[in-house]
Amino acid sequence: MKNGKWKMENVLKIFLLSLMLCVGVFAQTGEPKPSEPKTVKIPAVKEFTLKNGLKGAIVERPGVPLVTVQLMIKSGADNEVEEKAGLANLTAALLTKGTKSRTANQIAEQMEFLGADLNSGAGWNSSTVSVNVLSEKLDQAMEIMADTVLNPAFKQDEIDLLKSQTIDGLTYNLTQPGFLTSYVASVFSYGEHPAGGTPVSINAITRDDMVKFHKDKFIPANAILIFTGDITAKQAATLAEKHYGALKNPPPKKEEIRYGDPNYGSKPNSKPIPLVKRILVVDLPNSGQASVSYTKELNKGRSTCYAMKDDSIKCQNTEKYYPALVLNSVLGGGYSSRLNQEIRIKRGLSYGAGSSFAWRSSNANFGTRTQTKNETAAEVAELVLAEIKKLSEGEIAESELNPRRLVLTGGFGRNIETNQGLANALADLYSFGLPADSLNSYMSSVMAVGDKQIREFAAENFKGGDIIIVGDAKIFMEDLKKRFPDTPIKVVAADKLDLKSEDLR
């Protein structure tokens, strides 16, 4: 017993001594500084074109026997009509739910046997089908992947099941303040439709709609096949021809260029524009929390494209893209960002707050996000606006700015270390018509952004936005009116919400 007691006392002494040393070191050094950005080596991107016009891209990464293949279709929710919102995602999701020769279960079982991962889906700008597999099993996996793309069955029972599941998910999500905010913002602030659809639009989609979308959009002229991992360019081209050479391409149509119009959405206005032009309250009685967001459509898109003398199109990142990325990192891009510091860490009004850009070709959707108690919804709205206002009025010290830039470059480096992350990055570039070598300039472009560029971007773009609050209106309405006496407030009951109606009711 004495020996055991002696051991316990000494363990406690060692622990306390170690704790004191750690505290002493921290007190002397203060908060640790971020390390210098590491160099990220980006392998060369090799491109090829099949006889049917399908373009391919390959990044060779020998060493680890894994390969990612992604077919990116340059059409997503932006190519569907409002009445059939959700069509792109349903069409892409159903590709893996059965072909003319395989059932959904057979596809899943065969992929599991190969140790492969097959996924499909659609966003606003594009639709994708991708597979991750061991390099020795790539041929077999690509045969199944290509079958889902070339020969989807679109069986009615699978369509009915997916539509039912999608509507059930939407019905539940529309009771959640955070989801309801982004759902309403798509129409109210951004002039779009919800990319995932509405219960009414999902119900209206037919098998014929899916067949036509697939026939019109899943064509070589509208796609690029990306390989990353343990494969050579020659092997990639051979497999691409073998499995996708039969993909048919209709006669080419000259499409209207929809990129990079510098005057998109701009109108001369001599009157000063307030930071917030209007407030929308979606009344969700008995909601546990309120969702608070600032939303704004920007007339600065991801890419700027030019018609060349040979009728080819050349695109590059808009000059505002990188300042926007760094601005977002400062404002709401992580735990140490200003919104989270002010709303969560300093005041304890939320579990988290952030912001993000959703890029389009000729515009972008910006929004902040946070949830709080209904009682503090109006206060949080005021705090969000105060932080946005500071971006254009106050300087950002290098001691704050540099760590935020490093968050971006560090995240970029981690993402492209994986085959899937690199394939996604390339697909993102190709969807906007940007050259693959744009990856090489990412880190230097981010590190070159300074305080002046951020302030100019904020001053030019963050005016005339909206505040959207979803919550129990009876709890915060009086406070909201007091804090924003000169801003029009529109109130819509959640159970009466109709996105197709001009007044949302």
Side-chain angles (χ1 to χ4, degrees):
M1 286 294 291
K2 287 183 180 181
N3 188 42
K5 183 178 179 182
W6 181 88
K7 286 184 177 179
M8 181 60 69
E9 287 177 349
N10 279 275
V11 168
L12 287 172
K13 286 179 181 178
I14 292 170
F15 172 76
L16 290 172
L17 180 61
S18 300
L19 184 62
M20 290 172 66
L21 288 171
C22 290
V23 171
V25 169
F26 182 79
Q28 291 175 19
T29 62
E31 185 177 340
K33 295 181 180 180
S35 59
E36 290 300 314
K38 294 182 179 179
T39 302
V40 176
K41 186 177 181 181
I42 302 172
V45 180
K46 301 176 182 178
E47 298 180 339
F48 60 86
T49 303
L50 302 184
K51 295 176 184 178
N52 62 3
L54 177 64
K55 293 183 178 179
I58 164 71
V59 178
E60 299 177 1
R61 279 182 158 174
V64 179
L66 294 170
V67 181
T68 292
V69 183
Q70 182 172 137
L71 180 71
M72 190 275 291
I73 305 297
K74 301 174 186 178
S75 299
D78 61 338
N79 276 255
E80 62 193 21
V81 296
E82 180 184 353
E83 291 74 19
K84 299 296 176 79
L87 173 61
N89 193 51
L90 284 184
T91 302
L94 277 162
L95 297 180
T96 60
K97 301 301 181 182
T99 70
K100 294 175 183 177
S101 59
R102 291 179 172 90
T103 66
N105 285 339
Q106 286 174 330
I107 292 172
E109 288 170 358
Q110 290 173 17
M111 280 294 174
E112 184 179 6
F113 180 76
L114 295 173
D117 182 26
L118 177 67
N119 293 288
S120 62
W124 185 263
N125 300 303
S126 63
S127 304
T128 58
V129 184
S130 64
V131 65
N132 298 288
V133 67
L134 288 169
S135 50
E136 63 180 12
K137 304 290 181 65
L138 179 59
D139 191 8
Q140 300 100 303
M142 279 193 67
E143 193 276 322
I144 300 169
M145 175 192 177
D147 190 29
T148 67
V149 174
L150 274 66
N151 308 302
F154 294 117
K155 295 180 180 177
Q156 192 61 53
D157 58 341
E158 291 288 355
I159 292 173
D160 294 340
L161 176 61
L162 183 58
K163 286 173 63 174
S164 176
Q165 292 172 336
T166 303
I167 292 172
D168 285 348
L170 278 170
T171 302
Y172 170 76
N173 287 335
L174 288 173
T175 66
Q176 306 304 304
F179 179 87
L180 196 49
T181 299
S182 59
Y183 183 80
V184 173
S186 62
V187 174
F188 185 72
S189 300
Y190 307 138
E192 299 178 347
H193 60 261
T198 69
V200 173
S201 70
I202 294 297
N203 196 49
I205 294 171
T206 66
R207 182 181 185 277
D208 287 345
D209 294 325
M210 297 178 188
V211 171
K212 186 176 189 307
F213 188 90
H214 175 265
K215 181 181 178 181
D216 292 345
K217 306 303 180 184
F218 283 69
I219 58 176
N222 196 42
I224 186 159
L225 189 63
I226 301 169
F227 295 80
T228 57
D230 185 27
I231 185 173
T232 67
K234 183 177 180 180
Q235 290 171 329
T238 300
L239 287 172
E241 184 65 48
K242 177 181 179 180
H243 296 296
Y244 287 95
L247 195 61
K248 294 181 180 180
N249 207 18
K253 295 179 181 179
K254 192 167 184 179
E255 305 249 349
E256 179 184 352
I257 300 172
R258 57 190 179 92
Y259 308 117
D261 181 358
N263 298 313
Y264 177 85
S266 62
K267 296 178 181 179
N269 195 331
S270 58
K271 295 181 180 180
I273 303 174
L275 184 60
V276 176
K277 196 173 182 179
R278 55 188 181 168
I279 297 175
L280 173 66
V281 172
V282 180
D283 185 17
L284 191 64
N286 303 315
S287 62
Q289 289 189 321
S291 171
V292 181
S293 292
Y294 172 85
T295 52
K296 176 73 167 61
E297 181 188 8
L298 281 61
N299 61 7
K300 307 292 183 183
R302 171 68 190 270
S303 57
T304 301
C305 297
Y306 308 91
M308 308 301 286
K309 290 182 179 180
D310 61 357
D311 289 333
S312 65
I313 303 298
K314 182 178 181 180
C315 301
Q316 62 187 36
N317 279 307
T318 178
E319 61 179 7
K320 300 297 183 181
Y321 176 66
Y322 290 108
L325 291 187
V326 181
L327 176 149
N328 187 70
S329 184
V330 171
L331 178 66
Y335 187 82
S336 300
S337 64
R338 289 184 174 185
L339 286 176
N340 201 62
Q341 287 278 341
E342 188 66 29
I343 296 171
R344 173 181 174 167
I345 298 173
K346 291 183 182 179
R347 300 174 187 264
L349 296 176
S350 175
Y351 284 114
S355 62
S356 60
F357 284 91
W359 294 96
R360 313 296 190 233
S361 294
S362 47
N363 64 302
N365 298 339
F366 173 78
T368 68
R369 60 188 178 276
T370 188
Q371 291 196 166
T372 186
K373 295 185 297 183
N374 283 288
E375 290 82 357
T376 54
E379 179 186 358
V380 166
E382 212 170 41
L383 291 171
V384 169
L385 294 179
E387 291 305 317
I388 293 174
K389 192 175 181 181
K390 287 178 186 176
L391 290 171
S392 59
E393 296 183 349
E395 293 186 4
I396 305 173
E398 187 64 20
S399 59
E400 177 188 9
L401 185 56
N402 193 51
R404 304 316 305 165
R405 290 188 298 237
L406 293 176
V407 166
L408 292 173
T409 57
F412 172 78
R414 286 194 304 274
N415 286 339
I416 65 169
E417 282 181 356
T418 67
N419 290 336
Q420 184 68 63
L422 180 55
N424 290 340
L426 287 171
D428 186 52
L429 292 176
Y430 284 120
S431 71
F432 289 105
L434 296 167
D437 60 10
S438 299
L439 286 177
N440 297 313
S441 60
Y442 180 93
M443 297 187 76
S444 60
S445 297
V446 166
M447 295 306 296
V449 174
D451 163 59
K452 183 181 178 182
Q453 292 164 281
I454 293 175
R455 281 187 281 123
E456 288 177 350
F457 185 95
E460 291 172 6
N461 294 284
F462 292 149
K463 290 179 182 178
D466 303 322
I467 284 289
I468 299 178
I469 304 178
V470 180
D472 197 336
K474 67 178 181 293
I475 298 176
F476 58 77
M477 276 302 297
E478 289 304 314
D479 189 22
L480 188 66
K481 291 175 182 177
K482 290 177 183 178
R483 292 176 187 268
F484 298 91
D486 301 321
T487 306
I489 301 176
K490 182 185 188 71
V491 181
V492 179
D495 60 356
K496 302 294 183 184
L497 187 65
D498 182 2
L499 297 188
K500 294 180 67 177
S501 171
E502 190 173 338
D503 65 356
L504 298 179
R505 295 185 180 89

